[in-house]
Amino acid sequence: MGPAALLLPVLLLPLAVAAGGPEVRSLRGSWRLRSGNGSVSLRAEVPGCVHTALLCRGLIQDPYYRFNDVMYRWISLDNWTYSRTFKTPFDIRKWQKVNLVFEGVDTVAQILLNNVTLGRTDNMFNRYSFDITSVIQEVNLVEVRFLSAVSYAAEQSRCHKAHSIPPACPPPVQKGECHVNFIRKEQCSFSWDWGPSFPTQGIWKDVRIEAYNHCHLIYFSITSVFAKSAQQWYLEVESIFDVVSSKPIAGLVTVNIPKLQTQQTFSVKLQPGEGSIVLLVNINKSAAVEAWWPNGHGKQTGYNMTTTFMMEAGCQIEKFSKVYFRTVELVQEPIPGSPGLSFYFRINGRPIFIKGSNWIPADSFQDRVTYDTLRLLLKSAADANMNALRVWGGGIYEQDEFYNICDEIGIMIWQDFMFACALYPTDQNYLESVRAEVSHQVRRLKSHPSIILWSGNNENEAAIASNWFSIPYPDIGVYIKDYVTLYVKNIREIVLSEDKSRPFVASSPTNGLESVKEGWLSRNPYDTHYGDTHFYDYNSDCWNWTVYPKTRFASEYGFQSWPSFSTIEKVSSPEDWSYTSNFSLHRQHHEGGNIQMLQEVGRHFKLPQSPDPVKQFKDMIYLTQVMQAQCIKTETEFYRFSQSEIINGEGHTMGALYWQLNDIWQAPSWASLEYGGKWKLLHYFAQNFFAPLLPVAYEDKGMLHIYGVSDLHEDHKLALRASVSQQDDIYIFVLQTTTIAPFVTLDVGSIKGRFSDNGFLMTEKKKMVVFYPWEPTSVEELESSLILTSLLDIV
Ligand code: BMA
């Protein structure tokens, strides 16, 4: 990165802007794909991957069907090549610089243009740009020669002589591939405890040629900051340029936000090479800025902003963006009456209880994940009253559309970096690749108000602290050093230098500041007095709230269930339809998972006994969903009502993110949304247990405790309400309550007739009662006579 240019605010001038920018030739579309020895050759769409290309040409069946994940292992063990020819649509001589840009290559490949090797790729989370100015011709051949990710990972592990980096392989129940921690690729693509092994190869994001003269804008980002002392919002607008000319390029940059009556012009100078300029835009103090709020807390207001760069030598660029204003703080401070520290998020100055779940990749084949797929899943999260999701570190940094939707609908994102449940190498090449990945992802994503936290990894602090991989005690120092090198000295350092607008934690679960104090690895990252916790218990009765940890923040907890029969049916055949079939065992990737579900169901329900195995299977599916919904309801309600109390030094729980929101394929898992988006019972339950106003009742040593949990910004008067409608000769009273109401009584004065029920305990939010009149009456008459009373009204 070159030195930042000098910024001088100048007089506001209206500017006429001519559109400028690079000449772009997309290379999306039809490519040739061939296997290592050329025996298979086909047409393949880019962006895409080998599996979906083979499926599309009818060369393989649905990879999710029955046992195909194992049958099609050969695909990921082969080394495939993508190629295509293309004509250069412009006069090459007119351009100073031409780049071949890949937004994402999955993963290990050699890139050639006209038989010249441009470079190699080894990280699917990086953006690769190759200078092809001297290689491009009128007609070109581009080739991407992949190496199997599985062979590459094995080879990297073999070459790593210093010390072993566990785990070597996933447990056999996952039927996966080994050494995934040696490759910067979606970690769950080598299998997970809810997902198949499909180590894809392909060009999974946009690919194009870009030609430009003088200067080219590579990244453009905006973050908002509220200056407390001046009581004013300002924006940090960062632009990263590639300047081709040998001399600096001067010019004017104008930022305009009409709705906030804000326009500012800066004089800038871009130095040759790659460098950044940062503009601080003061928002007009007299403009009323509406902040961006999470779902359930207010609107997600955004403002249109135009940035025009009028640079020398005809370099003119115009950018249109949406800007949002919100602050985020992760509050870790002493709590009276409790050892340890708090761990909660303050958004726009207001403590917010985080309600939601954990997000995993929506498909093993990312090219199948469309805008509509993402919208459906994310909208389902918002519809279930969630305000946050954690993008879990074993998957991918999601597509831009994912974060755009979250911005629009108010879903806050806890963003992990992509490291999970493993130790990782720290040799120089590996670190360089990770450093490029982190800069790229932070630059790409930091404008999104939805992202409220960067987090270094999933469970890797815990993996060392609890010695998951049985490392002999004298050797542990090496792994601790590796841990600090990777997440603290590299990832954290880059994040802080790229983005100061949101907090960073090194891991999840972590003790936060306490972990930092203990050298970034605390003795017990699951300590309920600090940070966040992950909690799984398949042996206790999940209806018993006393088994749950009274934590500061529950970032993972869950129970499995089976997806509905209609979902399973699509990838199975009749012989598979029993709870103990080979198929049912095959799809279960969590050791003992099917038996655990059976035991948990058996604690409160009679196990299905039908002699018909298919009926028994369907009954079992139903019961696992009931069980899962009830378990997570109990646990979530426990976390929500623990928010404002400290008992025996524990409490002040300020987050509940259950594991997991969505599924990657059709199989038993912890998800509340099935593959394809269908809601399991749990998701319907979530709509209720995440409701802004929640009555919770629980029993403790013979005493019934009733809590009213509220996420609202103002006190809410608990009300009993009724609407009346006529249906033929009868009248329907729909009662709604925001709390548990004992002895609810309807009285319509002297209108003759009777109710279907009266004087009842209302535990549901809605109840329907029928009025049978004994003489003619009307809706109006009933409405004006109605008196609704419950014990709550008695003063
Ligand atoms: C947590 C997650 C995942 C896993 C889940 C269920 O540890 O981070 O790795 O899928 O539990 O076992």
Side-chain angles (χ1 to χ4, degrees):
M1 176 90 32
L6 183 66
L7 310 176
L8 300 170
V10 295
L11 280 179
L12 301 185
L13 297 171
L15 295 173
V17 179
E23 183 89 45
V24 177
R25 161 75 157 99
S26 172
L27 294 180
R28 283 169 169 262
S30 189
W31 288 53
R32 269 329 285 172
L33 176 60
R34 63 165 199 278
S35 59
N37 64 9
S39 59
V40 185
S41 172
L42 61 152
R43 200 165 62 76
E45 278 300 301
V46 167
C49 70
V50 176
H51 287 84
T52 48
L54 292 168
L55 176 65
C56 191
R57 309 302 299 164
L59 296 173
I60 58 168
Q61 281 183 325
D62 174 4
Y64 282 175
Y65 186 67
R66 300 195 79 212
F67 307 91
N68 279 349
D69 53 323
V70 174
M71 301 285 288
Y72 293 154
R73 199 172 163 234
W74 60 270
I75 299 171
S76 47
L77 297 180
D78 205 340
N79 306 315
W80 297 81
T81 294
Y82 278 78
S83 62
R84 71 169 282 171
T85 52
F86 68 94
K87 273 196 184 152
T88 309
F90 44 79
D91 183 352
I92 308 158
R93 289 162 305 177
K94 281 198 185 145
W95 298 94
Q96 287 172 296
K97 191 157 179 186
V98 187
N99 290 334
L100 171 59
V101 181
F102 291 89
E103 289 294 337
V105 180
D106 175 19
T107 293
V108 185
Q110 181 188 1
I111 315 280
L112 298 99
L113 185 68
N114 303 329
N115 290 317
V116 176
T117 299
L118 302 176
R120 286 164 203 277
T121 65
D122 60 7
N123 186 331
M124 82 180 277
F125 307 124
N126 268 351
R127 173 185 184 274
Y128 289 92
S129 178
F130 300 102
D131 184 347
I132 55 166
T133 320
S134 58
V135 187
I136 193 165
Q137 294 165 10
E138 242 169 77
V139 179
N140 302 278
L141 169 69
V142 57
E143 276 180 285
V144 182
R145 295 184 191 161
F146 282 97
L147 177 65
S148 155
V150 177
S151 331
Y152 173 85
E155 181 60 19
Q156 291 298 111
S157 152
R158 255 195 306 279
C159 295
H160 194 274
K161 297 269 189 294
H163 51 280
S164 65
I165 312 275
C169 299
V173 67
Q174 288 181 201
K175 297 161 274 282
E177 302 294 348
C178 301
H179 305 298
V180 71
N181 47 351
F182 277 93
I183 180 169
R184 291 309 298 142
K185 177 172 169 65
E186 177 182 319
Q187 297 290 281
C188 66
S189 67
F190 277 39
S191 82
W192 212 262
D193 59 2
W194 35 256
S197 172
F198 283 115
T200 43
Q201 290 173 42
I203 301 167
W204 72 298
K205 293 198 169 206
D206 189 46
V207 50
R208 61 185 180 273
I209 305 289
E210 279 175 3
Y212 50 92
N213 290 328
H214 312 295
C215 72
H216 173 56
L217 183 60
I218 312 172
Y219 293 97
F220 181 78
S221 61
I222 311 155
T223 46
S224 61
V225 183
F226 186 72
K228 273 196 187 141
S229 49
Q231 284 293 297
Q232 187 180 12
W233 286 101
Y234 68 90
L235 296 173
E236 213 174 279
V237 180
E238 184 175 15
S239 313
I240 297 180
F241 278 96
D242 179 25
V243 175
V244 193
S245 81
S246 53
K247 287 194 219 125
I249 299 182
L252 296 177
V253 185
T254 299
V255 175
N256 189 11
I257 311 171
K259 255 210 151 154
L260 296 177
Q261 303 98 51
T262 297
Q263 180 170 318
Q264 242 174 293
T265 300
F266 302 83
S267 164
V268 301
K269 202 178 257 182
L270 306 174
Q271 301 298 330
E274 196 176 307
S276 77
I277 53 167
V278 180
L279 309 172
L280 298 182
V281 179
N282 292 316
I283 300 301
N284 187 344
K285 255 185 140 171
S286 56
V289 176
E290 272 188 39
W292 179 95
W293 284 98
N295 183 34
H297 289 274
K299 288 198 279 181
Q300 291 75 47
T301 309
Y303 295 91
N304 291 331
M305 173 173 131
T306 312
T307 311
T308 43
F309 298 83
M310 300 282 286
M311 310 303 293
E312 287 173 345
C315 180
Q316 296 174 10
I317 300 164
E318 194 168 28
K319 288 289 293 181
F320 300 101
S321 344
K322 195 100 186 166
V323 286
Y324 299 89
F325 298 86
R326 70 106 188 77
T327 61
V328 51
E329 298 156 87
L330 176 58
V331 184
Q332 299 181 72
E333 60 190 17
I335 301 174
S338 171
L341 297 172
S342 66
F343 191 88
Y344 70 90
F345 289 90
R346 204 149 52 196
I347 307 291
N348 302 327
R350 175 166 209 101
I352 300 275
F353 189 99
I354 301 289
K355 300 184 294 191
S357 185
N358 285 267
W359 172 273
I360 63 158
D363 206 298
S364 293
F365 312 109
Q366 275 299 314
D367 48 292
R368 302 206 291 205
V369 182
T370 62
Y371 174 84
D372 289 347
T373 318
L374 295 173
R375 177 119 207 144
L376 191 83
L377 294 170
L378 292 169
K379 194 67 183 44
S380 291
D383 288 346
N385 287 312
M386 297 185 182
N387 61 26
L389 292 173
R390 170 169 168 253
V391 176
W392 166 78
I396 56 164
Y397 307 94
E398 281 297 332
Q399 342 177 353
D400 294 344
E401 281 76 7
F402 174 93
Y403 302 95
N404 288 336
I405 299 168
C406 291
D407 293 347
E408 276 167 38
I409 64 177
I411 296 291
M412 294 177 282
I413 295 297
W414 170 314
Q415 179 67 51
D416 280 3
F417 286 92
M418 294 301 134
F419 302 86
C421 303
L423 306 184
Y424 287 88
T426 58
D427 43 279
Q428 214 39 47
N429 288 346
Y430 186 88
L431 279 184
E432 265 162 36
S433 183
V434 170
R435 289 179 67 87
E437 162 191 333
V438 173
S439 304
H440 169 59
Q441 295 299 342
V442 175
R443 288 170 181 181
R444 179 172 77 92
L445 299 177
K446 68 179 170 180
S447 304
H448 294 282
S450 51
I451 299 177
I452 57 162
L453 179 78
W454 300 112
S455 173
N457 64 67
N458 174 72
E459 297 185 344
N460 298 350
E461 181 181 341
I464 297 181
S466 321
N467 204 2
W468 288 3
F469 307 118
S470 308
I471 291 163
Y473 185 71
D475 300 343
I476 204 90
V478 178
Y479 296 94
I480 294 178
K481 193 163 168 273
D482 275 358
Y483 181 92
V484 175
T485 301
L486 182 58
Y487 304 111
V488 183
K489 295 192 177 153
N490 283 277
I491 296 179
R492 178 174 176 272
E493 204 174 273
I494 295 169
V495 172
L496 296 189
S497 73
E498 294 281 352
D499 179 21
K500 292 181 187 56
S501 74
R502 46 178 74 77
F504 174 91
V505 292
S507 188
S508 173
T510 180
N511 287 349
L513 290 179
E514 177 59 21
S515 291
V516 178
K517 210 163 112 192
E518 293 178 36
W520 297 95
L521 277 144
S522 56
R523 257 160 303 139
N524 173 21
Y526 297 93
D527 192 330
T528 50
H529 303 93
Y530 297 97
D532 62 328
T533 55
H534 295 186
F535 180 78
Y536 295 92
D537 177 355
Y538 309 116
N539 300 316
S540 308
D541 176 1
C542 77
W543 290 24
N544 175 4
W545 59 271
T546 62
V547 302
Y548 301 123
K550 222 169 171 65
T551 169
R552 301 288 192 233
F553 195 110
S555 49
E556 270 192 31
Y557 56 98
F559 295 88
Q560 280 202 341
S561 73
W562 271 79
S564 55
F565 184 74
S566 60
T567 296
I568 288 295
E569 197 180 13
K570 293 189 181 80
V571 288
S572 56
S573 68
E575 71 209 84
D576 301 327
W577 298 339
S578 89
Y579 197 70
T580 50
S581 68
N582 284 342
F583 172 82
S584 293
L585 277 178
H586 178 80
R587 299 302 262 214
Q588 175 57 269
H589 278 202
H590 165 63
E591 191 67 60
N594 288 350
I595 293 174
Q596 284 166 358
M597 278 186 268
L598 210 95
Q599 282 167 348
E600 198 61 72
V601 166
R603 287 198 176 94
H604 295 279
F605 306 96
K606 190 163 76 70
L607 290 178
Q609 301 293 328
S610 171
D612 171 359
V614 179
K615 163 87 172 108
Q616 201 186 89
F617 185 45
K618 289 179 178 170
D619 289 350
M620 196 58 206
I621 290 174
Y622 162 78
L623 282 174
T624 62
Q625 288 208 18
V626 172
M627 173 275 291
Q628 181 199 32
Q630 186 62 27
C631 292
I632 296 186
K633 170 184 151 74
T634 310
E635 189 165 356
T636 307
E637 290 183 346
F638 171 75
Y639 294 135
R640 287 195 71 191
F641 78 64
S642 298
Q643 114 175 228
S644 43
E645 67 183 17
I646 292 289
I647 293 181
N648 298 330
E650 290 180 313
H652 264 228
T653 308
M654 281 300 282
L657 299 171
Y658 67 74
W659 184 266
Q660 68 202 65
L661 179 77
N662 54 322
D663 257 339
I664 200 165
W665 71 336
Q666 309 88 339
S669 86
W670 295 257
S672 62
L673 297 175
E674 300 181 1
Y675 179 75
K678 183 169 176 177
W679 288 28
K680 284 184 181 173
L681 276 188
L682 169 59
H683 210 79
Y684 289 98
F685 272 46
Q687 203 174 14
N688 291 324
F689 63 63
F690 281 145
L693 279 172
L694 177 75
V696 186
Y698 75 93
E699 183 269 341
D700 189 19
K701 301 184 198 92
M703 178 84 83
L704 181 70
H705 298 255
I706 298 182
Y707 284 70
V709 181
S710 171
D711 289 336
L712 303 179
H713 293 200
E714 278 152 24
D715 284 351
H716 191 79
K717 207 166 162 346
L718 298 172
L720 285 156
R721 268 187 302 155
S723 61
V724 190
S725 61
Q726 185 174 4
Q727 241 176 51
D728 303 326
D729 296 343
I730 58 167
Y731 292 86
I732 312 291
F733 284 66
V734 177
L735 305 184
Q736 292 197 52
T737 179
T738 47
T739 184
I740 290 177
F743 302 110
V744 177
T745 303
L746 299 103
D747 185 343
V748 284
S750 48
I751 300 174
K752 286 197 173 140
R754 73 161 181 92
F755 289 97
S756 57
D757 194 4
N758 220 339
F760 42 81
L761 173 69
M762 209 167 148
T763 51
E764 303 289 301
K765 280 197 227 154
K766 236 183 198 176
K767 185 175 166 88
M768 209 181 76
V769 179
V770 180
F771 181 70
Y772 302 100
W774 295 335
E775 58 187 26
T777 181
S778 66
V779 168
E780 293 72 35
E781 211 176 17
L782 287 166
E783 271 176 351
S784 60
S785 320
L786 177 68
I787 298 170
L788 210 48
T789 317
S790 86
L791 265 194
L792 299 175
D793 300 308
I794 308 305
V795 282

